[in-house]
């Protein structure tokens, strides 16, 4: 059985926060006073999932589109857009590895334009689609996940909390986002 978390959002990140209603009994709470959101109720991601977003990132900004992290800010996996390197990176913790792993995709979205961004993970296979561009890569190992949501496992949209403080905010607008659990892009 697959479960889908669908967010119908208009997040004007770092400017204001305007939320619409979520479907599938998922609720949002504010992760901080002004920026980004924490998805309180979601499923455990596991090693197969698809995340899809429509986002407009302001030029000259580096920030997280989404991040799955624990209460201390350890990043289990996240999608980060950098205007500095004109790239989108998938950071992840792989089972059996102590060090954080990453894949850098040479595509830029920090240009003030609306982009459709889709990340699909299927075991050790990762696929990123940005508008009409498609990139594939192989992960170092299956993803590690902090598990089901709780006091020590969070999904953030538009930010990632840091153990040193700060939120690594995306500057722009997340128009909508969806997660499909236990499926890969080739199956949808």
């Amino acid at each position: 059985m697959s479960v889908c978390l669908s967010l119908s959002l208009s997040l004007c990140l770092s400017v204001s926060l305007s939320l619409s209603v979520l479907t599938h009994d998922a609720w949002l709470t504010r992760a901080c006073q002004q920026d980004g959101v924490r998805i309180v109720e979601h499923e455990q991601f596991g090693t197969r999932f698809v995340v899809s977003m429509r986002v407009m990132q302001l030029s000259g900004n580096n920030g997280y589109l989404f991040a799955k992290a624990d209460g201390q800010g350890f990043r289990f996996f996240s999608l980060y857009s950098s205007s500095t390197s004109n790239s989108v990176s998938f950071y992840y913790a792989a089972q059996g590895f102590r060090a954080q792993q990453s894949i850098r995709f040479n595509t830029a979205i920090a240009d003030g334009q609306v982009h459709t961004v889709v990340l699909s993970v299927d075991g050790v296979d990762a696929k990123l689609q940005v508008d009409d561009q498609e990139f594939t890569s192989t992960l170092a190992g299956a993803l590690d996940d902090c598990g089901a949501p709780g006091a020590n496992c969070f999904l953030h949209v538009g930010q990632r909390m840091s153990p040193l403080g700060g939120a690594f905010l995306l500057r722009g607008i997340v128009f909508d986002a969806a997660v499909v659990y236990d499926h890969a892009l080739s199956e949808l």
Side-chain angles (χ1 to χ4, degrees):
M1 177 209 266
S2 65
V3 178
C4 177
L5 168 67
S6 179
L7 309 175
S8 180
L9 308 174
S10 288
L11 297 178
C12 300
L13 301 173
S14 76
V15 178
S16 67
L17 185 58
S18 170
L19 302 178
S20 300
V21 177
L22 286 176
T23 62
H24 297 30
D25 296 321
W27 302 95
L28 292 178
T29 59
R30 295 180 82 151
C32 64
Q33 292 299 322
Q34 303 172 19
D35 308 295
V37 294
R38 176 181 295 163
I39 309 303
V40 177
E41 294 184 20
H42 60 84
E43 301 294 319
Q44 182 170 342
F45 275 64
T47 60
R48 299 179 73 222
F49 61 86
V50 177
V51 176
S52 176
M53 306 176 82
R54 277 187 324 122
V55 62
M56 184 278 297
Q57 183 178 5
L58 297 177
S59 299
N61 174 246
N62 301 322
Y64 284 87
L65 283 82
F66 76 89
K68 182 88 182 272
D70 67 14
Q72 290 73 46
F74 178 78
R75 188 178 44 194
F76 282 86
F77 48 88
S78 60
L79 198 60
Y80 178 79
S81 172
S82 171
S83 67
T84 307
S85 64
N86 289 318
S87 66
V88 174
S89 295
F90 179 57
Y91 291 97
Y92 64 99
Q95 295 174 10
F97 289 84
R98 297 183 88 184
Q100 188 85 47
Q101 307 293 311
S102 67
I103 300 169
R104 184 171 141 182
F105 300 100
N106 291 319
T107 185
I109 65 167
D111 58 7
Q113 303 297 313
V114 177
H115 296 280
T116 299
V117 179
V118 179
L119 174 70
S120 174
V121 174
D122 187 5
V124 296
D125 298 320
K127 181 185 294 186
L128 179 73
Q129 290 182 336
V130 176
D131 301 325
D132 61 353
Q133 298 178 303
E134 185 174 296
F135 307 90
T136 59
S137 188
T138 302
L139 305 177
L143 291 181
D144 198 2
D145 187 354
C146 55
N152 201 35
C153 187
F154 305 107
L155 174 62
H156 298 274
V157 175
Q159 69 176 22
R160 174 182 77 87
M161 300 309 287
S162 165
L164 303 174
F168 297 95
L169 301 169
L170 176 77
R171 305 276 190 238
I173 301 171
V174 174
F175 293 99
D176 51 55
V179 177
V180 180
Y181 304 98
D182 201 32
H183 283 285
L185 196 55
S186 60
E187 300 170 333
L188 298 178

